[in-house]
């Protein structure tokens, strides 16, 4: 059965070659090749989850030795999500890239890189050899890097790509450090299964767990390793942003889960630290999302918030295992894996809706958008569904995963230890606050994009919207999980069973079944109310009247605010309201910023008004991420440090040989010290 995975991978590689060699811009059979290849890759994953088994395959590759491929319930869960979301991204990209048909050569490379990224992620989930794992991990990072620089003609995009490249290799440095220590202390075994058996020292396991977890956390986007994420998403095309947010950052989560399976349950202080970072990620991510004006940056910070929720469920599950409380463990892990599934669906939907908005308006600034619901009704409707889901509101799927985490936290309050009860209480309050702020953030985003009047003229005369069918596939997934959460739990419980064997004995299924009845009733009630309102208003005459314009009058010629034109007051002109009368995204977020201004810096660029009759003035504001400033300061420090070495350079070959000799001597000293400590 696992041979199908190899055949599927081969087909995806053939699709890469086909994309590069195909002379037609559309790539007629590209989606078909990718679709068949991805389907063959995830069929073994479906088999594993259906029959609750493990598929393994070993073969020898020089110089790596024996290579093991392993598909268990954890790998299978992530493989199915990666395959389906990856294929939907490929389908969506076909229409999204039509606007870029002028550069056919770059389009061919771009399409090939999408296939390479999906294939490398699938191999990350199956490979059990340290060296090959790092190679496919690097392939995943490099392919995503080149996908980000699709618009390589922009200097800003290249700068962001360079930062992404550096941060991803800092992640690799931590992974390499952890794996090297593990391999050296396990008789040079390279397979994951042998590492835990060979390493006896528990403190050494703990150090390895910390190093690997940091490396994976950088990829996942946990605070304070998140700074690449809000920059990479806006720079990348929307189908790549959706793929990165829905799938790639979850590969980091997979790595953390796999680390726990290989090296065992971490110590209590690690669990509390992970829980703290998760809560901070939630709060910081959603706070930044409220203040941003770039649509994709808002969704990027929202991804950080959702990664925090996933981490919270993970921490709760680990704490349940540590305290030998299976109910808390199952609710925590169940909520975490459920949220991984849900976030991959509705975040893809939101990014693709934003992609439609960008293609229609050619801007990502919410201060320049508005009134798009009438012009893009399908996109607006789908975005509303995704926004309700991501806020964790019933009856959609985001509510299901969060309610499981809430139940686990409330169950933890009843524990006898006052310390653990206090931790659970703080977590509940923080998660509730995050939920309220999420509603505020997406209400602000939704109202500024789709409601009100348009703020710019550029999208008034555009052609009608074209909503790809792939978005309705995602809507279908949301509805299925929302209305039948107990059936979805059968899928989610499989990876949970990797951590606790009693995953099926706890009656979560029955609980979710009762919840589904309430959600069906709630959904039916909402549909009934909307239908009654429509029928009652169908024959009523709706009177239209002008909105009060605050005492100002507007001319028909000038779309902006005008009180006097040609030295004469326009007393007879009809009042025409426009975007200048509306709340802006900044004005909605201003009151929130006044509460948290000590924690977030604001940069302002404005021209002071001095004269009585001033000319046109400009004003620009930007809310800064303090962690980004910290990284900038660290970069300056090392730049100055390396510049000192550069100044002392002799510009002669003898000088460079001295540096080489010093480096070799330092390597020998470190090796000798390590050997001495080990003996």
């Amino acid at each position: 059965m696992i041979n199908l995975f190899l055949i599927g991978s081969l087909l995806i590689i053939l699709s890469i070659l086909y994309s590069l060699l195909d002379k037609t811009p559309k790539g007629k059979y590209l989606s078909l090749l990718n679709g068949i290849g991805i389907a063959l890759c995830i069929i073994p994953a479906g088999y594993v989850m259906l029959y609750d088994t493990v598929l393994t395959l070993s073969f020898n590759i020089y110089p790596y030795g024996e290579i093991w491929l392993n598909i268990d319930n954890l790998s299978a869960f992530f493989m199915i999500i990666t395959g389906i979301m990856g294929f939907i991204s490929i389908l969506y990209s076909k229409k999204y890239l039509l606007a870029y048909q002028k550069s056919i050569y770059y389009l061919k490379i771009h399409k090939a890189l999408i296939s390479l990224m999906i294939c490398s992620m699938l191999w990350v989930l199956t490979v059990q050899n340290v060296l090959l794992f790092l190679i496919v991990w690097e392939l995943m990072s490099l392919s995503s890097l080149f996908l980000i620089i699709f618009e390589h003609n922009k200097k800003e995009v290249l700068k962001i790509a360079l930062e992404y490249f550096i941060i991803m290799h800092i992640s690799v440095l931590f992974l390499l450090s952890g794996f090297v220590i593990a391999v050296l202390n396990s008789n040079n075994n390279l397979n994951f299964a042998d590492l835990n058996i060979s390493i006896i020292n528990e403190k050494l396991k703990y150090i390895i767990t910390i190093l690997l977890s940091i490396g994976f956390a950088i990829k996942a986007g946990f605070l304070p390793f998140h700074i690449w994420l809000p920059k990479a998403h806006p720079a990348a095309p929307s189908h790549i942003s959706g793929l990165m947010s829905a799938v790639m950052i979850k590969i980091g989560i997979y790595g953390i889960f796999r680390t726990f399976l290989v090296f065992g349950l971490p110590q209590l202080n690690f669990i509390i630290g992970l829980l703290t970072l998760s809560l901070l990620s939630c709060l910081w991510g959603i706070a930044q999302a409220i203040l941003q004006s770039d649509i994709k940056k808002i969704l990027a910070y929202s991804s950080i918030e959702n990664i925090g929720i996933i981490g919270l469920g993970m921490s709760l599950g680990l704490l349940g295992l540590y305290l030998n409380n299976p109910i808390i463990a199952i609710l925590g892990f169940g909520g975490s894996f459920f949220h991984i599934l849900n976030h991959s669906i509705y975040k893809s939907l939101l990014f693709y809706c934003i992609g439609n908005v960008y293609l229609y308006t050619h801007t990502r600034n919410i201060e320049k958008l508005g009134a798009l619901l009438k012009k893009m009704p399908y996109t607006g409707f789908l975005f509303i569904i995704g926004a309700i889901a991501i806020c964790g509101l019933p009856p959609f799927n985001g509510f299901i995963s969060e309610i499981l985490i809430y139940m686990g936290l409330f169950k933890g309050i009843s524990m006898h230890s006052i310390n653990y009860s206090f931790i659970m209480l703080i977590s509940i309050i923080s998660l509730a606050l995050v939920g309220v702020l999420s509603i505020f953030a997406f209400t602000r985003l939704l109202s500024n994009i789709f409601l009100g009047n348009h703020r710019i003229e550029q999208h008034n005369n555009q052609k009608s919207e074209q909503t790809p069918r792939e978005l309705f596939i995602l809507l279908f997934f949301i509805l299925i999980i929302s209305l039948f959460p107990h059936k979805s739990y059968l899928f989610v419980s499989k990876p949970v069973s990797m951590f606790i064997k009693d995953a099926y004995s706890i009656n979560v299924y029955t609980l979710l079944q009762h919840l589904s009845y309430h959600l069906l009733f709630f959904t039916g009630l909402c549909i009934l109310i909307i239908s009654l309102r429509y029928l009652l208003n169908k024959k009523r005459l709706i009177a239209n009247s002008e909105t009060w314009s605050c005492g100002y009058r507007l001319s028909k010629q000038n779309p902006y605010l005008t009180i006097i034109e040609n030295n004469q007051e326009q007393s007879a002109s009809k009042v025409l309201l426009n975007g200048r009368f509306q709340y802006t995204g900044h004005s909605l977020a201003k009151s929130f910023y006044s509460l948290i201004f000590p924690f977030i810096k604001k940069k302002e660029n404005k021209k002071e008004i001095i004269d009585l009759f001033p000319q046109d003035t400009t004003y620009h504001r930007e809310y800064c991420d303090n962690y980004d400033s910290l990284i900038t300061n660290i970069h300056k420090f090392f730049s100055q440090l390396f510049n000192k070495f550069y100044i002392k350079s002799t510009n002669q070959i003898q000088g460079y040989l001295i540096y080489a000799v010093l480096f070799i001597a330092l390597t020998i000293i470190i090796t000798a010290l390590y050997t001495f400590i080990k003996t």
Side-chain angles (χ1 to χ4, degrees), residues 33 69 366 376 425 447 463 574 668 674:
L33 273 174
L69 298 182
I366 61 173
M376 306 180 71
L425 182 61
S447 60
K463 59 184 180 180
K574 184 179 179 181
I668 293 171
Y674 175 79

Side-chain angles (χ1 to χ4, degrees), residues 257-288:
F257 276 120
R258 180 62 68 185
T259 301
F260 298 152
L261 287 177
V262 173
F263 296 103
L265 182 68
Q267 296 179 13
L268 180 61
N269 53 2
F270 179 94
I271 298 172
I272 300 301
L274 178 60
L275 188 145
T276 304
L277 283 182
S278 299
L279 290 177
L280 290 175
S281 298
C282 291
L283 292 167
W284 186 261
I286 198 61
Q288 286 283 355

Side-chain angles (χ1 to χ4, degrees), residues 88 154 237 308 315 428 481 556 591:
I88 291 175
K154 298 180 180 179
S315 307
I428 290 170
I481 297 173
K556 295 181 181 180
S591 57

Side-chain angles (χ1 to χ4, degrees), residues 15 41 67 104 122 149 184 220 223 265 357 393 446 464 560 571 655:
S15 73
C41 284
I67 303 295
I104 297 174
L122 289 170
I149 58 171
L184 290 177
L223 199 78
L265 182 68
V357 170
L393 297 175
L446 178 67
S464 59
Y560 294 100
S571 57

Side-chain angles (χ1 to χ4, degrees), residues 594-630:
S594 64
L595 298 174
I596 61 168
F597 73 91
F599 305 102
I600 297 178
K601 294 181 181 179
K602 180 171 70 171
K603 287 184 180 178
E604 291 182 307
N605 184 10
K606 60 183 178 180
K607 237 168 152 188
E608 294 294 338
I609 298 175
I610 301 173
D611 301 329
L612 292 175
F613 301 98
Q615 301 297 320
D616 291 342
T617 187
T618 58
Y619 174 76
H620 175 74
R621 118 222 108 252
E622 182 181 358
Y623 296 100
C624 304
D625 195 324
N626 293 348
Y627 292 96
D628 194 14
S629 303
L630 177 63

Side-chain angles (χ1 to χ4, degrees), residues 248-451:
M248 193 187 77
I249 62 175
K250 308 300 191 311
I251 302 297
I253 297 293
Y254 162 81
I256 297 174
F257 276 120
R258 180 62 68 185
T259 301
F260 298 152
L261 287 177
V262 173
F263 296 103
L265 182 68
Q267 296 179 13
L268 180 61
N269 53 2
F270 179 94
I271 298 172
I272 300 301
L274 178 60
L275 188 145
T276 304
L277 283 182
S278 299
L279 290 177
L280 290 175
S281 298
C282 291
L283 292 167
W284 186 261
I286 198 61
Q288 286 283 355
I290 291 173
L291 299 173
Q292 303 302 319
S293 297
D294 188 309
I295 319 172
K296 293 176 77 174
K297 190 171 280 191
I298 293 171
L299 294 183
Y301 275 112
S302 170
S303 293
I304 296 168
E305 172 234 334
N306 281 273
I307 285 294
I309 294 175
I310 292 169
L312 177 60
M314 183 193 302
S315 307
L316 185 62
L318 291 171
L319 193 59
L321 290 178
Y322 183 84
L323 298 173
N324 197 23
N325 191 321
I327 297 178
I328 294 177
I330 290 173
L331 290 172
F333 284 131
S336 182
F337 282 111
F338 231 129
H339 207 74
I340 290 169
L341 173 64
N342 291 335
H343 182 257
S344 66
I345 298 171
Y346 54 62
K347 186 50 70 74
S348 295
L349 179 63
L350 289 171
F351 266 115
Y352 299 155
C353 287
I354 292 304
N356 291 352
V357 170
Y358 178 73
L359 290 178
Y360 194 85
T361 62
H362 303 291
T363 183
R364 299 194 310 262
N365 191 344
I366 61 173
E367 310 293 3
K368 297 180 180 180
L369 296 171
L372 287 179
L373 189 59
K374 293 181 180 179
K375 297 181 179 294
M376 306 180 71
Y378 295 112
T379 299
F381 169 74
L382 291 168
F383 189 90
I384 291 170
I385 299 296
I388 295 173
I390 201 171
C391 290
L393 297 175
F396 296 116
N397 57 338
F399 173 75
I400 309 297
S401 51
E402 291 194 24
I403 200 67
L404 287 178
I405 296 175
Y406 270 118
M407 290 172 63
L409 292 172
F410 276 109
K411 198 73 179 175
I413 290 181
S414 61
M415 290 188 296
H416 298 294
S417 173
I418 187 67
N419 294 330
Y420 295 126
S421 298
F422 179 74
I423 291 171
M424 298 298 172
L425 182 61
I426 292 296
S427 300
I428 290 170
I429 294 171
S430 300
L431 190 57
L433 179 60
V434 167
V436 172
L437 294 178
S438 296
I439 296 172
F440 179 34
F442 281 91
T443 301
R444 171 179 175 265
L445 182 60
L446 178 67
S447 60
N448 276 268
I449 298 175
F450 293 102
L451 304 181

Side-chain angles (χ1 to χ4, degrees), residues 510-530:
T510 306
L511 174 72
L512 292 176
Q513 189 174 26
H514 288 305
L515 181 63
S516 70
Y517 297 149
H518 291 87
L519 292 176
L520 283 169
F521 174 77
F522 180 77
T523 305
L525 185 64
C526 291
I527 293 172
L528 179 63
I529 293 172
I530 293 170

Side-chain angles (χ1 to χ4, degrees), residues 48-118:
V48 166
M49 300 196 79
L50 184 63
Y51 293 101
D52 201 13
T53 184
V54 178
L55 296 177
T56 57
L57 177 68
S58 65
F59 48 88
N60 288 311
I61 298 180
Y62 180 81
Y64 307 111
E66 190 177 20
I67 303 295
W68 284 88
L69 298 182
N70 182 77
I71 302 178
D72 53 20
N73 281 323
L74 181 65
S75 297
F77 175 79
F78 283 94
M79 285 175 69
I80 291 172
I81 293 174
T82 301
I84 294 174
M85 293 301 122
F87 184 60
I88 291 175
S89 175
I90 291 172
L91 294 177
Y92 177 79
S93 68
K94 290 177 65 177
K95 290 187 178 180
Y96 186 87
L97 293 173
L98 289 176
Y100 300 92
Q101 290 296 348
K102 292 181 180 180
S103 53
I104 297 174
Y105 174 74
Y106 293 109
L107 281 178
K108 288 160 64 174
I109 296 176
H110 183 79
K111 292 175 181 178
L113 287 169
I114 297 174
S115 301
L116 178 61
M117 181 179 174
I118 295 170

